[in-house]
Amino acid sequence: MVDANAKPLEQSQDTASLVKRLAGPSVTKAGLAKDQTEINRIIAEVSKGSKFYENEKRKDKELTERIAKILRIKDEVLKEADIRRVEADADRLFVDLEAERDLTQIIVHVDMDAFYANVELLRSPELEGKPFGVGKGVLSTASYEARKYGVRSGMAGFVAKKLCPELILMPIDFQKYSEMSKKVMAIFKQYDPNMIVAGCDEVMHSITKYCNEHNMAPDECVQRMREQVKVETRLTVSAGIAHNKMLAKNKPNGQFHLSSEREAVVAFMRDLPIRKLPGVGRVNERLLESIGSCGDIYEHRAVIWLMDHYFGKTFLFKAHLGIASNVVQPYQREERKSIGAERTFNPIDDQNKILEKLEEVSIELENDMRENGWAGKTVTLKYKLDTYQVFTRAKSFNRWITRKDDMFNTGKELLKPEFPLCLRLIGLRVTKLNDLHASANQGIKRDAMPGFHEHAAEMDEWPPGEGDEYLEGDEENSASRVPKPTSSRNPPIISTRPMDSRIDAEAHMRLQDSEDEDEPALRTQPCPVCAREIDAADNLALNAHIDFCLSKDAIKQATAASSSDVATPSNKKKGKGNKGNALTRTLSDWKKKEEKRPDRTRRGKKK
DNA sequence: GCGGATCAC
DNA sequence: TATGGTGATCCGC
């Protein structure tokens, strides 16, 4: 496994956090090897000296300074605070929050165990018991054997090889996983047609209704669901049962049912590390270092109250109580806010070659937007230097952007003043979207639209995200990814945190519903721009016509005014009573010191 | 509206 | 030999 005699890396306070950072974000997630410290040391060692390492070091230093400043503010605030009084205020909030507890729903979170790896095992049984990973440059997943060595999803292949020299690397086979995912999803859906799909291997259900209708206990229902998947696919599923989404998701392997008794819930939260809370990543974990587990939140309530701006008191108090959203509603297409494409490559400093990459990305994005029926008003360029520093530059228009040339030229315009550059990534993203399909179908149920099924099929091709797995780049799939919204819709239990309903479903499930259903009642549709009747059965023609209309400036303006109401039916305000993700707030004076432009001396990569 | 940062999957 | 891609949100300006 690991060399126990290797000399320890000197552990100054600075390197401790860096070593952990280098180990990657999923280190605290799944159950991993015993001696994570030793593994982290090796990872740091093989990374040392690389540009990647230097960038991580820089970010770690900045973060450390930023946290130090927040802690100084904390000290200041504490000095002049009447702790008793603050605690009394906090206690009142706890009482109010407690009143929101809703124990009536039965929520189930299921995910496939080591999905990619187990699918590979089905076809290659000789891999049984061997350490292997899926993916080439960056691992998408690791077998259980490999995980014992500290190999994780998201890890660079050469680092994984260092940890486990006999590691077998399997090429990624999206089609295989996609087919299997569809089978599994079809089974899951029988238990809740409104389930939230989160990636190809993860689903959130509400089985309240199902259990009532079938007169079935939750455990029995979930047992049956897991058994059905096992029988029909030979894959295993883990499930968490609880009365809200956050509790259901925080489960051990196998099947776990958390009692709906208040005491059981609070006891469960007591030992839950705050890192497990949705929205608490590596950064916020460090910010909240002194808190540790959710059980510690209460005793820190005064500090949290006073530092609400940084810590988010409502969020943390709810976490302590184990209160979270229990609303399970599938993702709606109109919730989408952006669409983009980006590509990583070997560092390039030649301007023309960089522009070629930009053009490729523009083409990808145009295809994706056309195939899925989106236009947008803001174009954002993203680029990553060979030093791994990331920058974005944006430009807004007063017309709808759909075409490759518009995006390419905008990107070029934004990039030009930044030269000279040596880049390892370039990307484009379009926001302020106009849903052309919705416009084309106003007043008509989208599912009933002929011609849109081919898109449904594309979207269905590959569900977005990866569970705890990581995707390797694959341009073939770029057209089929769907976002996961982070807002909740009028939950009966107040969800003050956008994050807590992060797991949500995709439009394709809805579109799938109506497959093979009713014959087209309408043969033509009005163009959303010029209102002319277009052959609705020919979707390509419809889109081509829309593109044509949009290409006329005068009409674009008209559309901008008229269709923005129609195009975003999600103009529904998401009753944001609360201020949202307070944990991500940062120190303003820290930001002021940030470089606003890339450092010219570090950009030009002379060979 | 823009840019940086964080997070999830 | 080579550390990913898509999308969302928040903050401070």
Side-chain angles (χ1 to χ4, degrees):
Chain A
M1 200 182 287
V2 288
D3 181 3
N5 295 324
K7 70 167 190 312
L9 201 77
E10 77 283 12
Q11 296 269 320
S12 77
Q13 182 140 27
D14 288 342
T15 60
S17 60
L18 176 58
V19 166
K20 187 174 179 189
R21 164 184 278 270
L22 286 166
S26 64
V27 121
T28 36
K29 288 289 186 184
L32 300 165
K34 300 166 236 168
D35 190 0
Q36 190 63 48
T37 313
E38 173 63 6
I39 289 165
N40 288 357
R41 188 194 63 78
I42 294 178
I43 295 172
E45 206 167 81
V46 299
S47 301
K48 201 150 193 171
S50 66
K51 289 196 164 87
F52 180 81
Y53 176 92
E54 292 302 321
N55 187 248
E56 292 298 299
K57 199 161 103 179
R58 176 186 62 83
K59 288 200 292 189
D60 186 69
K61 182 162 173 274
E62 288 173 0
L63 179 59
T64 301
E65 289 167 7
R66 178 171 144 209
I67 289 174
K69 286 190 179 171
I70 294 178
L71 295 183
R72 278 203 292 279
I73 291 179
K74 184 181 88 171
D75 292 341
E76 287 302 311
V77 166
L78 278 178
K79 254 188 236 166
E80 45 198 285
D82 179 346
I83 297 298
R84 284 301 163 78
R85 200 196 148 114
V86 173
E87 284 182 343
D89 288 339
D91 286 341
R92 275 190 289 277
L93 179 53
F94 271 105
V95 171
D96 290 346
L97 293 175
E98 182 59 47
E100 294 178 5
R101 191 186 297 278
D102 177 356
L103 303 170
T104 63
Q105 300 299 304
I106 308 163
I107 309 300
V108 182
H109 179 262
V110 290
D111 61 34
M112 309 298 298
D113 301 331
F115 184 53
Y116 286 11
N118 283 340
V119 173
E120 289 297 336
L121 274 174
L122 290 181
R123 183 168 306 186
S124 312
E126 71 275 9
L127 289 173
E128 191 72 52
K130 291 185 183 158
F132 70 95
V134 180
K136 286 258 188 279
V138 174
L139 298 190
S140 289
T141 191
S143 71
Y144 287 120
E145 282 301 318
R147 292 182 194 191
K148 290 179 189 165
Y149 294 81
V151 176
R152 305 183 320 272
S153 57
M155 183 176 276
F158 75 96
V159 176
K161 274 279 190 185
K162 206 65 138 190
L163 289 172
C164 175
E166 61 270 43
L167 185 76
I168 301 166
L169 290 181
M170 301 293 291
I172 258 190
D173 185 347
F174 287 107
Q175 217 193 332
K176 220 164 22 180
Y177 318 137
S178 177
E179 283 170 18
M180 200 56 83
S181 177
K182 279 185 200 169
K183 286 187 192 172
V184 174
M185 292 298 164
I187 297 170
F188 285 156
K189 201 172 179 182
Q190 297 168 14
Y191 296 82
D192 178 7
N194 283 324
M195 70 184 188
I196 301 167
V197 178
C200 59
D201 69 335
E202 209 178 314
V203 164
M204 191 77 74
H205 293 94
S206 172
I207 56 165
T208 319
K209 196 171 165 211
Y210 187 96
C211 287
N212 281 336
E213 286 174 357
H214 293 75
N215 193 25
M216 200 181 272
D219 293 279
E220 191 186 352
C221 169
V222 174
Q223 190 61 48
R224 173 181 292 199
M225 190 192 311
R226 294 173 62 223
E227 192 60 31
Q228 196 180 343
V229 172
K230 174 87 181 167
V231 167
E232 294 180 25
T233 69
R234 289 153 62 206
L235 294 170
T236 57
V237 187
S238 288
I241 308 166
H243 66 269
N244 70 45
K245 291 188 280 189
M246 186 267 296
L247 295 170
K249 194 158 191 310
N250 278 303
K251 62 182 184 301
N253 270 358
Q255 181 169 333
F256 182 72
H257 187 172
L258 177 63
S259 163
S260 286
E261 314 246 327
R262 184 193 179 278
E263 296 314 313
V265 171
V266 175
F268 178 79
M269 295 308 297
R270 194 185 57 219
D271 299 320
L272 192 72
I274 48 164
R275 178 69 170 81
K276 300 275 190 176
L277 299 174
V280 179
R282 286 185 292 172
V283 169
N284 287 313
E285 180 187 30
R286 279 190 61 185
L287 185 61
L288 300 171
E289 214 161 25
S290 59
I291 293 181
S293 77
C294 294
D296 302 334
I297 289 171
Y298 185 75
E299 61 189 275
H300 289 89
R301 63 194 184 285
V303 173
I304 293 169
W305 182 280
L306 292 167
M307 295 290 287
D308 180 35
H309 185 253
Y310 301 100
F311 294 173
K313 63 176 191 280
T314 304
F315 169 68
L316 288 175
F317 289 3
K318 278 182 155 185
H320 176 75
L321 295 169
I323 291 174
S325 165
N326 61 4
V327 177
V328 177
Q329 286 289 318
Y331 170 67
Q332 310 284 318
R333 175 182 162 96
E334 59 264 28
E335 294 173 18
R336 185 187 262 246
K337 301 212 173 18
S338 76
I339 183 167
E342 64 188 59
R343 204 59 48 201
T344 293
F345 38 77
N346 291 328
I348 301 177
D349 57 10
D350 181 283
Q351 295 199 18
N352 289 327
K353 293 212 168 75
I354 288 174
L355 292 180
E356 277 174 30
K357 291 289 182 188
L358 179 63
E359 186 164 21
E360 287 172 28
V361 169
S362 312
I363 292 168
E364 257 186 64
L365 183 53
E366 185 200 54
N367 290 337
D368 203 355
M369 290 172 68
R370 185 181 55 251
E371 285 163 20
N372 290 292
W374 296 105
K377 281 193 174 173
T378 300
V379 176
T380 302
L381 170 80
K382 171 181 174 181
Y383 62 92
K384 191 190 282 181
L385 305 184
D386 65 336
T387 59
Y388 289 88
Q389 288 168 289
V390 176
F391 299 89
T392 59
R393 298 288 179 265
K395 180 179 178 178
S396 292
F397 295 82
N398 55 9
R399 60 188 177 88
W400 297 110
I401 303 297
T402 56
R403 315 199 75 84
K404 166 235 159 187
D405 282 332
D406 279 336
M407 298 184 284
F408 179 46
N409 289 332
T410 305
K412 216 175 355 183
E413 184 187 328
L414 292 168
L415 195 57
K416 277 275 171 66
E418 311 286 334
F419 281 127
L421 296 166
C422 183
L423 303 187
R424 70 182 335 273
L425 172 146
I426 201 148
L428 286 170
R429 180 160 297 275
V430 172
T431 51
K432 300 287 156 62
L433 296 183
N434 181 5
D435 184 343
L436 299 178
H437 288 181
S439 316
N441 288 297
Q442 53 181 290
I444 297 158
K445 213 176 147 232
R446 184 165 63 247
D447 295 65
M449 266 296 282
F452 283 85
H453 286 155
E454 59 185 289
H455 294 314
E458 285 160 13
M459 297 175 75
D460 195 36
E461 192 60 37
W462 194 247
E466 272 305 290
D468 66 336
E469 326 275 345
Y470 279 66
L471 265 182
E472 282 230 321
D474 183 351
E475 49 249 46
E476 307 291 56
N477 291 320
S478 62
S480 50
R481 295 192 189 96
V482 183
K484 277 161 283 289
T486 57
S487 309
S488 56
R489 295 163 283 278
N490 292 331
I493 290 240
I494 293 108
S495 160
T496 57
R497 295 209 82 222
M499 291 294 192
D500 77 358
S501 62
R502 180 173 294 281
I503 302 179
D504 230 316
E506 313 153 27
H508 81 262
M509 299 310 294
R510 283 165 30 76
L511 293 166
Q512 211 177 26
D513 279 341
S514 63
E515 229 166 13
D516 302 328
E517 273 177 21
D518 33 359
E519 271 302 301
L522 298 161
R523 306 213 175 270
T524 64
Q525 291 302 320
C527 167
V529 183
C530 69
R532 220 175 78 190
E533 294 292 321
I534 311 294
D535 183 359
D538 187 346
N539 198 45
L540 288 177
L542 178 60
N543 281 324
H545 174 82
I546 293 172
D547 282 350
F548 172 72
C549 277
L550 288 170
S551 70
K552 302 178 179 177
D553 272 350
I555 300 181
K556 277 176 200 160
Q557 299 304 330
T559 320
S562 66
S563 73
S564 60
D565 297 324
V566 180
T568 51
S570 67
N571 279 348
K572 48 177 179 182
K573 292 296 160 239
K574 328 246 183 185
K576 278 194 183 168
N578 247 309
K579 284 296 277 294
N581 194 352
L583 278 175
T584 62
R585 287 172 198 166
T586 54
L587 247 192
S588 61
D589 61 23
W590 173 75
K591 280 222 161 193
K592 280 176 201 155
K593 287 202 165 185
E594 283 289 286
E595 265 188 317
K596 296 292 189 257
R597 318 286 292 185
D599 180 355
R600 295 208 163 258
T601 63
R602 294 174 69 176
R603 273 186 295 156
K605 209 57 204 166
K606 16 242 156 232
K607 5 188 324 174

